[in-house]
């Protein structure tokens, strides 16, 4: 076993020479936080009780300070006094884990806590998110405070149901009730019961479960026996939120204690629009510009549903502010009449809908304003602009964010909030098996949280882009995600943790029986479950992969068709969002139509006749051959400097060749650089899991097996992995409507829209316009797809053509 901090002082995280001064500054800031006044009370409650419920406003410091209080207090170490020396050497139950529903929050909060504790991220404090583990860089189990996403802790529980590494688990942002959070509650409660030294178990519930599910009762008895052998100390749980439904959680944890911490809240004036706003992006643009012109100092936070809307509005703001700056220099002091205002309004309309560049503008100041974007898929180096103080020459920040800024992260300096009233919400119809991601109205609780962001530094204002009567019709709270999604991955996770019948699992909110039955059917069709609903060997392999069961099945089928290398690439590319950058716009502007035409021409060289999976492979392979890219790695300033020097050296070596830098290649080919880099990192992580030996919880694959130029093997592999998502073409699949006629008049012939019927369910669907098969003449007779999207119409994405007779060959039990 590698040396631990107790056996090797050299391994301890040492502060840098200048960190003492910084720590003193951080301590002064910490003392001013509302939660600091309750540190002794919180530590005492955690020491005396196994479950503590903490309700505190966003910005009170609960996420950063409470884990530090518990670590610095050291009272929980008293539980280790009576442990035998043999088990003490294992150093179990010494770590604090803080879960976050989003990777952005886990990374940023871990970085802040590391700064406050005077150490580098990955030493005493680290983060663990999907495909990015920054912990224990000094040796095994050396990180003592770990910020992890809910999904990462769930994956850890699959191999270690007792969560032996942790003595305290902090479930943060519990009010969001995400799918992974709800499952994590049951997993943590199960481990807590096995490790408890008191009669915490709900006897009534336990008896009813034991009568019906004898196998699960036996598993729980084995867990308690194992915990006793290891002399595991009690697992302490802290449930934290800004707007916690106390009654729900108190009934789930009957012996829990509750503490409420007041936040720093100034009065916030709320303004509604007189009418409904059909275009909330245009309304948000106008509101932000009016605030900037007429209101006093203070940053602006705009809530929008997704990254696409955010990037579009960010481009519009930057262009308008740039035009305003040029216009301001060109007019004289006496030209401040109403005619000038009309010109400015006309200019806003003229730039509305114009294409925006995803690669430009981040961190740049336009006319004294810094426009920042913030959403979960954004790389950390671009997220940082939203959290940093305003640089010199900047008078105001405008931050455009998804609902991540409601409670997950704290943004300082916000005085004005613009609330579109919209968010993206997953929904699943268990009857049809269709899952959709749609733009939905927020709940009243979400709207209040958004308004609260304006009252942290001083009195603020909230501009809701909907009338007051619309607010009165909103739901009080958001429905738990577990009641709105496909449960196949949930069932697979629970079975992987050793839960015989997931129906016996102690859910915070019990899902519907119909949704649970649908999940069992899907996993049975994928051969993850046998006739007795037991997890098969194949199902155990699927559970090892951090992927949706469908993608996991697709990857596991690849060795049969000798296309493992290709499927690793395809799945990684499909896991990243929006690989292709397609400039927006109506096409009325010369710049807009010209940019769109350039993008279409650039993308054409990657487009495969067979569909999206081969197209993704072409993009990735061309990028690897033609671009110079140095993958990011863990480390501080020295590591970043080393990578920069490595990049410069690679550029010099390839100066005589055709290779160009990663950013230049992506700009030239209208490819999202951050999405491509993320796909590369995902592929590396998946390759590591697949190539790892089975004895080390891997799959033992040869990840270099390739089908080469044999496209039939690749397409058969796709049909074997996606046979549940197959669709056949319906006759007369080309529709002629006004929009198509308009395109045809402009000479755009790529207007064919394939209409298909799914093999399972018989739903009528259409090829999505972004699909590489869209407009192919004739459309393929049969396709498999990776995603079903429901908007005004039902679309399929990630479509790849196959031969219909292959379905009976690759899935004979399903297609006869």
């Amino acid at each position: 076993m590698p040396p631990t901090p107790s056996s090797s002082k050299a391994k301890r995280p040492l502060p840098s020479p200048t960190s003492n001064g910084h720590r003193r500054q951080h301590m002064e800031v910490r003392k001013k936080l509302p939660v600091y006044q309750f540190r002794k009370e919180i530590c005492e409650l955690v020491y005396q009780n196994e479950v503590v419920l903490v309700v505190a406003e966003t910005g009170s410091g609960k996420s950063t300070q409470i884990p530090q209080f518990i670590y610095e207090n050291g009272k929980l170490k008293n539980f280790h006094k009576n442990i035998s020396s043999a088990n003490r050497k294992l150093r179990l139950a010494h770590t604090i884990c803080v879960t976050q529903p989003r990777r952005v929050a886990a990374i940023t909060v871990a970085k802040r806590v590391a700064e406050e504790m005077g150490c580098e991220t990955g030493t005493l404090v680290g983060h663990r998110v999907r495909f990015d583990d920054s912990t224990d860089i000094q040796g095994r189990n050396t990180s003592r405070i770990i910020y992890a996403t809910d999904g990462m802790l769930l994956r850890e529980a699959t191999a270690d149901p007792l969560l032996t590494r942790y003595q305290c688990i902090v479930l943060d942002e519990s009010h969001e009730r995400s799918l992974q959070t709800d499952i994590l509650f049951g997993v943590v409660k199960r481990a807590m019961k096995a490790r408890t030294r008191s009669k915490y178990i709900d006897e009534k519930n336990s008896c009813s479960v034991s009568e019906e599910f004898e196998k699960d009762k036996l598993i729980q008895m084995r867990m308690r026996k194992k915990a006793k052998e290891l002399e595991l100390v009690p697992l302490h749980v802290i449930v934290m939120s800004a707007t916690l439904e106390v009654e729900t959680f108190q009934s789930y944890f009957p012996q829990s204690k509750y503490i409420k911490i007041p936040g720093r809240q100034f009065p916030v004036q709320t303004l509604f629009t007189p009418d409904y706003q059909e275009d909330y992006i245009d309304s948000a643009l106008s509101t932000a510009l009016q605030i900037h012109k007429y209101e006093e100092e203070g940053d602006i936070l705009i809530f929008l549903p997704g990254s696409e809307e955010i990037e579009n509005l960010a481009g519009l703001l930057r262009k308008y502010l740039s035009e305003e700056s040029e216009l301001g220099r060109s007019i004289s002091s006496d030209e401040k009449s109403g005619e000038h205002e009309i010109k400015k309004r006309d200019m806003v309309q003229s730039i509305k809908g114009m294409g925006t560049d995803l690669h430009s503008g981040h961190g740049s100041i336009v006319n004294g304003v810094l426009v920042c974007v913030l959403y979960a898929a954004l790389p950390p180096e671009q997220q940082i602009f939203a959290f940093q103080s305003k640089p010199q020459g900047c008078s105001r920040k405008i931050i455009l964010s998804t609902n991540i800024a409601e409670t997950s992260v704290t943004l300082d300096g916000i005085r004005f909030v613009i609330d579109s009233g919209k968010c993206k919400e997953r929904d699943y119809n268990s009857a049809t098996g269709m899952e959709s991601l749609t733009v939905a109205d927020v709940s009243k609780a979400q709207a209040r949280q958004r308004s609260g962001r304006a009252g942290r530094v001083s009195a603020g204002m909230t501009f809701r882009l909907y009338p007051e009567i619309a607010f009165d019709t909103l739901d009080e709270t958001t429905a738990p995600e577990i009641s709105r999604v496909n449960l196949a991955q949930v069932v697979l996770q629970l079975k992987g943790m050793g839960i015989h019948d997931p129906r016996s699992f102690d859910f915070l909110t019990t899902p519907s029986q119909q949704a649970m039955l649908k999940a069992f059917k899907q996993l049975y069709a994928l051969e993850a479950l046998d006739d007795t609903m037991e997890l098969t060997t194949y199902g155990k392999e699927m559970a090892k992969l951090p992927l949706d069961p469908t993608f996991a099945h697709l990857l596991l089928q690849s060795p049969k068709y000798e296309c493992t290398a290709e499927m690793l690439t395809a799945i990684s590319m499909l896991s990243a969002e929006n690989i292709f950058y397609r400039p927006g716009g109506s096409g009325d502007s010369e710049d807009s139509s010209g940019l769109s035409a350039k993008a279409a021409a650039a993308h054409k060289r990657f487009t495969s006749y067979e569909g999206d999976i081969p197209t993704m492979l072409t993009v990735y392979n061309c990028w690897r051959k033609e671009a110079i890219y140095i993958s990011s790695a863990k480390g501080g300033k020295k590591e970043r400097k080393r990578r920069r020097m490595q990049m410069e050296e690679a550029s010099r070596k390839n100066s005589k060749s055709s290779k160009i830098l990663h950013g230049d290649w992506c700009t030239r080919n209208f490819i999202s650089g951050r999405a491509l880099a993320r796909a590369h990192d995902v592929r590396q992580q998946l390759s590591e899991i697949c190539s790892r030996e089975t004895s080390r919880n891997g799959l033992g694959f040869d990840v270099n097996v390739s089908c080469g130029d044999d496209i039939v093997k690749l397409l058969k592999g796709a049909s074997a992995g996606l046979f549940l998502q197959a669709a056949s073409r319906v006759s007369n699949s080309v529709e002629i409507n006004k929009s198509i006629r308009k395109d045809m008049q402009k000479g755009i012939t790529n207007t064919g829209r394939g209409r298909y019927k799914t093999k399972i369910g018989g739903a009528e669907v259409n090829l999505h316009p972004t699909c590489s098969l869209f407009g192919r003449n004739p459309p393929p007779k049969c396709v498999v797809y990776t995603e079903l999207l429901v908007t005004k119409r039902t679309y399929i994405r990630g479509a790849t053509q196959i031969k219909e007779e292959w379905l009976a060959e690759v899935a004979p039990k399903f297609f006869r």
Side-chain angles (χ1 to χ4, degrees), residues 273-279 465-467 469-471 473:
T273 59
D275 303 307
Y276 287 93
Q277 304 296 305
E278 293 184 6
D279 189 344
L465 305 181
Y466 47 91
I469 191 173
F471 176 81
T473 61

Side-chain angles (χ1 to χ4, degrees), residues 493-505:
Q493 282 180 322
L494 296 180
K495 296 289 283 186
M497 293 175 195
I499 297 170
H500 171 66
D501 194 330
R503 293 174 299 174
S504 70
F505 186 70

Side-chain angles (χ1 to χ4, degrees), residues 619-674:
V619 173
Y620 187 85
N621 292 335
C622 288
W623 173 66
R624 295 298 291 162
K625 290 177 183 178
E626 301 169 5
I628 305 167
Y629 175 71
I630 307 297
S631 179
S632 59
K634 294 182 287 188
K637 294 181 180 178
K638 291 183 179 179
E639 178 62 27
R640 288 194 293 271
K641 183 178 180 181
R642 186 191 67 80
R643 291 202 306 270
R644 187 167 60 251
M645 293 175 65
Q646 190 177 0
M647 179 75 80
E648 292 172 355
E649 179 65 23
S651 180
R652 284 194 294 271
K653 287 181 179 180
N654 289 278
S655 59
K656 297 182 180 180
S657 69
S658 59
K659 281 198 170 188
I660 59 176
L661 293 176
H662 162 72
D664 296 335
W665 188 91
C666 292
T667 301
R668 178 182 297 180
N669 292 284
F670 289 84
I671 301 292
S672 172
R674 63 172 181 81

Side-chain angles (χ1 to χ4, degrees), residues 204-372:
K204 182 180 178 181
N205 187 49
S206 178
C207 290
S208 63
V209 168
S210 65
E211 292 170 3
E212 189 175 359
F213 306 102
E214 291 294 335
K215 289 187 178 180
D216 284 322
K217 180 183 176 182
L218 181 62
I219 291 170
Q220 290 173 5
M221 290 175 62
R222 289 174 179 169
M223 287 177 62
R224 286 194 286 271
K225 183 178 179 181
K226 183 67 175 179
K228 191 174 181 180
E229 289 176 2
L230 295 174
E231 298 179 277
L232 288 175
V233 299
L235 178 63
H236 293 259
V237 178
I238 304 173
V239 181
M240 298 198 307
S241 174
T243 57
L244 196 67
E245 299 174 43
V246 178
E247 296 79 9
T248 302
F249 291 95
Q250 282 183 330
S251 61
Y252 191 72
F253 296 110
Q255 296 185 356
S256 60
K257 297 297 180 182
Y258 165 71
I259 180 174
K260 185 171 184 178
I261 299 169
R264 296 181 301 192
Q265 191 68 34
F266 293 90
V268 177
Q269 181 184 3
T270 302
L271 302 174
F272 294 87
T273 59
D275 303 307
Y276 287 93
Q277 304 296 305
E278 293 184 6
D279 189 344
Y280 52 83
I281 294 181
D282 183 47
S283 182
L285 173 66
S286 302
T287 306
L289 295 173
Q290 289 179 37
I291 293 172
H292 176 58
K293 181 177 180 182
Y294 297 110
E295 297 293 339
E296 54 191 25
E297 292 183 357
D299 296 341
I300 304 171
L301 174 61
I302 305 176
F303 284 101
L304 292 168
S307 59
E308 185 177 351
E309 294 91 340
I310 285 174
E311 292 287 2
N312 285 340
L313 181 55
L316 292 175
L317 282 168
R318 292 188 187 107
K319 288 186 177 183
Y320 175 77
L321 292 167
S322 177
E323 293 285 346
E324 183 185 51
S325 177
E326 294 176 6
L327 189 61
R329 287 193 295 267
S330 66
I331 62 172
S332 60
S333 59
D334 58 344
E335 195 178 0
K336 296 180 180 179
S337 61
E339 182 182 355
H340 176 55
E341 297 301 322
I342 293 173
K343 288 182 180 179
K344 292 174 73 175
R345 284 198 300 270
D346 291 342
M347 181 166 53
V348 175
Q349 294 299 321
S350 69
I351 64 172
K352 180 180 178 294
M354 289 177 64
T356 58
D357 187 356
L358 292 174
H359 308 294
S360 68
H362 294 292
S364 59
I365 300 173
V366 183
N367 197 17
V369 178
L370 177 62
V371 180
C372 309

Side-chain angles (χ1 to χ4, degrees), residues 42-252:
I42 291 170
C43 291
E44 198 63 33
L45 280 172
V46 173
Y47 177 67
Q48 295 176 358
N49 304 276
E50 291 184 1
V51 184
V52 177
L53 309 178
V54 179
V55 179
E57 288 287 342
T58 302
S60 61
K62 62 183 185 301
S63 300
T64 57
Q65 302 308 306
I66 290 180
Q68 291 187 69
F69 296 159
I70 297 167
Y71 175 79
E72 293 166 352
N73 182 268
K75 268 199 168 187
L76 291 183
K77 294 180 181 178
N78 295 336
F79 288 96
H80 294 269
K81 287 181 179 179
N82 299 322
I83 296 177
S84 63
S85 58
N87 282 330
R88 191 179 293 117
K89 289 180 180 179
L90 297 175
R91 293 187 63 79
L92 300 175
H94 280 74
T95 307
I96 300 167
C97 181
V98 188
T99 66
Q100 297 288 337
R102 296 180 181 84
R103 57 184 288 123
V104 176
I107 295 170
T108 55
V109 177
K111 182 179 179 182
R112 174 66 183 184
V113 173
E115 290 176 359
E116 291 182 359
M117 299 187 74
C119 64
E120 287 282 345
T121 304
T123 53
L124 185 64
V125 182
H127 68 261
R128 185 177 290 163
V129 300
R130 191 183 181 200
F131 303 121
D132 184 6
D133 187 348
S134 177
T135 60
D136 300 331
I137 64 174
Q138 292 186 313
R140 183 181 177 185
N141 291 353
T142 52
S143 295
R144 285 289 169 259
I145 300 177
I146 296 176
Y147 285 84
T149 52
D150 301 330
M152 290 303 294
L153 187 57
L154 277 176
R155 292 199 60 77
E156 191 172 346
T158 303
D160 180 17
L162 288 170
L163 299 170
T164 55
R165 177 170 185 176
Y166 307 107
Q167 186 176 6
C168 181
I169 292 179
V170 183
L171 302 170
D172 202 4
E173 309 299 348
S174 302
H175 72 283
E176 293 197 10
R177 301 296 304 277
S178 68
L179 176 64
Q180 303 288 4
T181 303
D182 269 25
I183 303 169
L184 192 57
F185 268 99
V187 170
V188 170
K189 186 176 181 180
R190 185 166 174 254
M192 187 176 63
K193 287 181 178 181
R195 290 169 53 173
T196 189
R197 294 181 181 178
S198 62
K199 295 181 179 180
Y200 180 79
I201 301 175
D202 185 347
E203 296 295 341
K204 182 180 178 181
N205 187 49
S206 178
C207 290
S208 63
V209 168
S210 65
E211 292 170 3
E212 189 175 359
F213 306 102
E214 291 294 335
K215 289 187 178 180
D216 284 322
K217 180 183 176 182
L218 181 62
I219 291 170
Q220 290 173 5
M221 290 175 62
R222 289 174 179 169
M223 287 177 62
R224 286 194 286 271
K225 183 178 179 181
K226 183 67 175 179
K228 191 174 181 180
E229 289 176 2
L230 295 174
E231 298 179 277
L232 288 175
V233 299
L235 178 63
H236 293 259
V237 178
I238 304 173
V239 181
M240 298 198 307
S241 174
T243 57
L244 196 67
E245 299 174 43
V246 178
E247 296 79 9
T248 302
F249 291 95
Q250 282 183 330
S251 61
Y252 191 72

